[in-house]
Amino acid sequence: MAYESAGAPDYFNIDDLLTDEHKLIRQTMRDFVKREISPYIEQWAQEAHFPSEIVKKFGDVGAFGPTIPTEYGGGGMDYISYGIIMQEIERGDSGMRSTASVQGSLVMYPIYKYGSEEQRKKFLPKLASGEWLGCFGLTEPDYGSNPGGMVTNIKDMGDHYLLNGAKMWISNSPECQVAVVWAKNEEGRIKGLIVERGMEGFSTPEIHNKWSLRASTTGELVFDNVKVPKENLLPNIDGLKGPLGCLDSARYGISWGAVGAAIDCYESARKYSLERIQFDKPIGAFQLIQKKLAEMLTEITKAQLLTWRLGTLMNEGKASTQQISMAKRNNVDMALHVAREARQIHGGMGITGEYPIMRHMMNLESVITYEGTHDIHLLITGADITGIQAFK
């Protein structure tokens, strides 16, 4: 079987498991990425530039909230479609996928799932179209893997809540119009609120000097006696299960996205190995290079099967938090390994912006940590196996 690269590697004919609609969505997103992201992404990353214009373009192509019902501006698609969209965007860049992933899974999803009908109608169409950019405020400077320890808080002032505290490492925050923020009330219960740009005392300082996700905009959320109207409280959720439910959706998207980054590194390495001549033949003729390529494709194929099955379970409402956790951990770790092997195949050229490898590698160093670190996800699986939580 001579492996021909006609797009994403598909060694086990996973395309046979996809519908015609899935394939059309994939081609649409692939064309979008090739047109709107790939020609510019190396420069954006080198310059640490977030292209604000991409937000409206993502909205136009349907990348925001693909699983949200169409009546609110979403795509009304299934979870495999959502995964495919994330895979194709991350083939372009993890930071670009983060922008779309946060908007759909961490901003639109909680407003749809936990919000009032008035909140859905007010916020979702503008977020879906890309008119507004949103962010998700959970992580704090002193509370990352332990979000239940958060100190950001709200006090009931009668006709409004008074919000105080700060959030850290927030994708999209410097340019957001809307932030879904999690804070403790006076009883110590975690509540979700929609904070809007322009509310007095609300600021979003940008984080600079990142070596990773350089084309994504990252910042803080700072709340200094912010008056949040009562109608901005998410009414249909209480406790930590609110933000964790959002993270399930986002981590699912990451498990597909990481496959996209791995595919891009693999494709580049395979092509380079057939073009680079050393000792009078392509380096792809040498056993050790073939070993690297064969192992990369094997791991990508295993990850593809994992995400497809997980997507099927998501569609059936059967996917567990623990299954999503395993897929996120496995696939990001796989993608990082593929990126490092691809860098070696490219030799010295692998560190330059002429190839996407080093950018993917740096990006994935963030992806392996955010939305549940590599080690915490391992312990989630361990707790599921043994019934004993090792991270408390």
Side-chain angles (χ1 to χ4, degrees):
M1 171 181 179
Y3 171 69
E4 290 300 325
S5 171
D10 187 14
Y11 212 67
F12 268 60
N13 301 335
I14 297 169
D15 266 19
D16 293 350
L17 302 171
L18 304 180
T19 65
D20 289 341
E21 183 184 5
H22 291 148
K23 294 171 191 172
L24 178 62
I25 289 165
R26 183 178 63 191
Q27 192 59 52
T28 300
M29 288 310 303
R30 192 170 292 172
D31 291 343
F32 173 84
V33 170
K34 284 181 178 176
R35 183 177 67 250
E36 301 291 351
I37 295 175
S38 298
Y40 316 108
I41 188 62
E42 302 301 342
Q43 184 177 354
W44 293 342
Q46 290 279 359
E47 297 175 358
H49 169 71
F50 174 68
S52 302
E53 66 279 3
I54 202 73
V55 177
K56 188 71 174 69
K57 291 176 180 178
F58 272 144
D60 291 342
V61 80
F64 291 148
T67 63
I68 300 292
T70 54
E71 63 186 288
Y72 302 112
M77 301 177 197
D78 71 350
Y79 274 94
I80 289 177
S81 299
Y82 172 56
I84 287 168
I85 290 169
M86 294 301 107
Q87 173 184 287
E88 292 304 315
I89 296 175
E90 193 148 357
R91 281 183 81 180
D93 186 72
S94 301
M96 292 290 99
R97 196 266 310 140
S98 295
T99 301
S101 180
V102 166
Q103 184 91 329
S105 288
L106 299 182
V107 183
M108 295 176 69
Y109 175 85
I111 293 173
Y112 171 68
K113 187 83 171 173
Y114 310 138
S116 66
E117 188 61 20
E118 292 74 23
Q119 289 169 343
R120 292 176 191 147
K121 287 177 177 173
K122 177 180 177 181
F123 295 104
L124 291 178
K126 286 185 168 63
L127 290 162
S129 69
E131 181 181 340
W132 285 354
L133 184 65
C135 68
F136 175 85
L138 179 63
T139 298
E140 296 188 0
D142 294 322
Y143 294 96
S145 294
N146 176 26
M150 70 173 66
V151 295
T152 297
N153 63 89
I154 52 170
K155 289 182 180 172
D156 191 332
M157 306 301 287
D159 63 340
H160 66 273
Y161 295 104
L162 203 60
L163 173 64
N164 280 285
K167 303 292 181 176
M168 187 78 170
W169 303 117
I170 310 300
S171 293
N172 298 354
S173 84
E175 302 213 9
C176 76
Q177 282 75 46
V178 175
V180 172
V181 177
W182 302 92
K184 283 182 178 173
N185 66 11
E186 286 141 304
E187 290 75 47
R189 297 295 295 171
I190 292 172
K191 298 289 187 179
L193 304 99
I194 303 170
V195 181
E196 300 175 62
R197 176 73 69 186
M199 289 181 174
E200 192 175 347
F202 173 42
S203 59
T204 57
E206 187 169 3
I207 295 171
H208 297 285
N209 299 323
K210 296 181 298 177
W211 286 110
S212 181
L213 301 179
R214 288 172 59 82
S216 170
T217 182
T218 312
E220 303 171 55
L221 300 173
V222 179
F223 314 107
D224 181 10
N225 288 324
V226 180
K227 292 180 180 178
V228 182
K230 285 280 181 79
E231 61 264 26
N232 281 35
L233 184 83
L234 295 175
N236 301 320
I237 195 62
D238 180 66
L240 199 54
K241 66 179 180 286
L244 295 184
C246 305
L247 288 169
D248 275 351
S249 177
R251 289 165 177 169
Y252 166 74
I254 290 170
S255 74
W256 280 85
V259 173
I263 286 170
D264 199 47
C265 292
Y266 165 79
E267 292 284 7
S268 183
R270 178 181 176 271
K271 185 170 184 286
Y272 189 83
S273 76
L274 297 174
E275 295 170 350
R276 173 68 169 168
I277 306 297
Q278 288 292 281
F279 305 104
D280 304 318
K281 57 184 176 181
I283 61 171
F286 293 99
Q287 288 184 359
L288 286 175
I289 299 296
Q290 290 191 8
K291 177 180 186 290
K292 290 183 192 297
L293 292 169
E295 290 178 342
M296 289 157 78
L297 182 57
T298 301
E299 294 306 312
I300 288 169
T301 300
K302 286 155 65 176
Q304 287 173 320
L305 289 164
L306 190 64
T307 49
W308 175 82
R309 177 60 186 153
L310 183 60
T312 304
L313 291 170
M314 291 284 284
N315 285 340
E316 296 171 354
K318 294 178 181 175
S320 70
T321 293
Q322 292 81 1
Q323 288 169 329
I324 294 167
S325 184
M326 178 185 280
K328 189 269 185 183
R329 179 183 184 274
N330 179 83
N331 291 7
V332 180
D333 184 60
M334 175 278 298
L336 252 179
H337 184 71
V338 167
R340 287 168 181 154
E341 293 288 86
R343 211 290 304 153
Q344 291 201 54
I345 290 173
H346 284 78
M349 294 305 295
I351 71 164
T352 72
E354 290 185 46
Y355 296 91
I357 312 301
M358 202 73 182
R359 175 174 50 79
H360 280 307
M361 197 189 305
M362 292 192 298
N363 285 341
L364 289 163
E365 288 292 348
S366 288
V367 182
I368 204 167
T369 291
Y370 73 25
E371 296 188 33
T373 70
H374 185 66
D375 292 342
I376 287 290
H377 282 300
L378 187 75
L379 295 180
I380 288 171
T381 305
D384 202 35
I385 293 166
T386 63
I388 305 167
Q389 289 194 344
F391 46 77
K392 282 190 176 179

